[in-house]
Amino acid sequence: MDVQQIDLAERGERTEHSYLLGYLRELTRGQEIAVLAHDDPRILMDALTLELRNGIYWDVVEAGPPAWRVRVRRREDVAASDLVDLLTRDHLRVDHLFASALHRCNAGDMAAALPCFRVYASCLRRHVEAENEIVVPVLSLPRSPRGDDPTSIMLREHDEIIEHTVMIEEMVDEGMDDAGMLAPFFAIISGQLAKHEWREENNLFPHWVRLLRHDPAIAAELFPRVQALVRAGDEAAASVGIE
């Protein structure tokens, strides 16, 4: 594996965040960055991971003081470490599938867009099933009568995204293949996905992380059930070039 060495003491006048972010943005699959930090880097690395939409995986291989050594890889190069990590990665896959369909639709190439869209719809349903039917019944959180709690918001937004996905499926099944007509509906889903996943990852997932850490037995029971659903979409996603 190609390993690049970064010493944060060499950042000059730049902040550690901006200095390291520039390198991490260029990190590709099969590469590794070894970071030498002279203060505890965990808060810094958590902030960078969030900014990079969980696209990296890091672990401390040597703890200080006086120095910490951190190994950073692309998340795709590392097996999912827990349930929330697995679901976050699946968000990215659903995003990539839909983005591929949207890009091809905007280019007017519906022959290429529709296979990506079909696989997106299949993976979306598996993801929603995993969260709605497997995780939510076990990881119980307080619910508000107003429906403004994180779980209720997630469930409602799942219904809305599925509804618009079905709308496009029905249009296509009825013979609609005009990119200009379908593009606005693709755009609606694109906006829905971005907002939904941000809210879920920032407002709901931290609660799930807390519950899972509190009860490792539940974490061990849920992980393989969700993983089985996610893996069911691997072959289909790979067929359109999404891993």
Side-chain angles (χ1 to χ4, degrees):
M1 179 174 283
D2 181 18
V3 180
Q4 184 176 14
Q5 307 287 330
I6 304 294
D7 186 344
L8 294 182
E10 299 176 357
R11 68 185 186 278
E13 298 299 317
R14 300 174 63 182
T15 65
E16 291 182 341
H17 185 103
S18 64
Y19 179 68
L20 188 52
L21 179 62
Y23 289 101
L24 297 183
R25 279 179 170 157
E26 301 300 320
L27 184 64
T28 61
R29 294 198 64 172
Q31 293 183 325
E32 179 180 311
I33 291 179
V35 181
L36 179 63
H38 303 276
D39 295 296
D40 190 332
R42 287 174 290 186
I43 294 177
L44 170 65
M45 295 308 304
D46 281 342
L48 289 166
T49 302
L50 182 62
E51 186 163 350
L52 293 169
R53 186 80 194 288
N54 294 294
I56 60 170
Y57 178 88
W58 62 272
D59 56 334
V60 176
V61 296
E62 183 179 325
W68 286 258
R69 295 186 184 275
V70 179
R71 175 175 54 185
V72 188
R73 291 165 285 175
R74 289 294 308 173
R75 187 164 295 273
E76 303 95 312
D77 290 334
V78 183
S81 59
D82 55 44
L83 177 65
V84 170
D85 183 19
L86 182 65
L87 290 170
T88 302
R89 291 169 187 241
D90 206 39
H91 278 171
L92 291 172
R93 177 166 67 175
V94 170
D95 282 351
H96 290 164
L97 285 164
F98 188 79
S100 295
L102 176 63
H103 175 74
R104 289 164 171 79
C105 178
N106 287 339
D109 186 1
M110 292 308 300
L114 291 181
C116 293
F117 177 77
R118 295 289 194 187
V119 177
Y120 145 79
S122 175
C123 289
L124 172 70
R125 287 186 170 92
R126 289 190 178 95
H127 183 89
V128 168
E129 179 183 349
E131 293 184 333
N132 288 16
E133 306 300 330
I134 297 178
V135 180
V136 168
V138 176
L139 300 184
S140 178
L141 292 170
R143 304 285 286 274
S144 166
R146 298 186 301 274
D148 57 359
D149 60 277
T151 303
S152 296
I153 291 171
M154 180 195 74
L155 295 173
R156 184 168 60 251
E157 291 180 346
H158 280 170
D159 288 344
E160 292 168 353
I161 295 169
I162 291 288
E163 179 183 354
H164 283 100
T165 298
V166 169
M167 184 184 304
I168 294 178
E169 287 177 317
E170 291 176 345
M171 293 171 69
V172 171
D173 289 343
E174 292 171 1
M176 170 62 71
D177 60 359
D178 182 270
M181 294 290 292
L182 290 171
F185 297 99
F186 274 76
I188 290 172
I189 296 177
S190 179
Q192 285 179 317
L193 283 173
K195 293 176 182 178
H196 166 73
E197 290 168 354
W198 188 94
R199 278 193 284 263
E200 191 173 292
E201 291 173 11
N202 289 276
N203 298 333
L204 180 59
F205 281 6
H207 294 289
W208 286 359
V209 168
R210 174 177 51 80
L211 292 172
L212 292 166
R213 287 176 178 170
H214 180 71
D215 196 333
I218 290 178
E221 188 268 334
L222 287 177
F223 185 87
R225 295 174 62 195
V226 172
Q227 187 178 52
L229 272 178
V230 170
R231 282 182 171 173
D234 287 349
E235 185 175 343
S239 72
V240 289
I242 303 296
E243 300 179 359

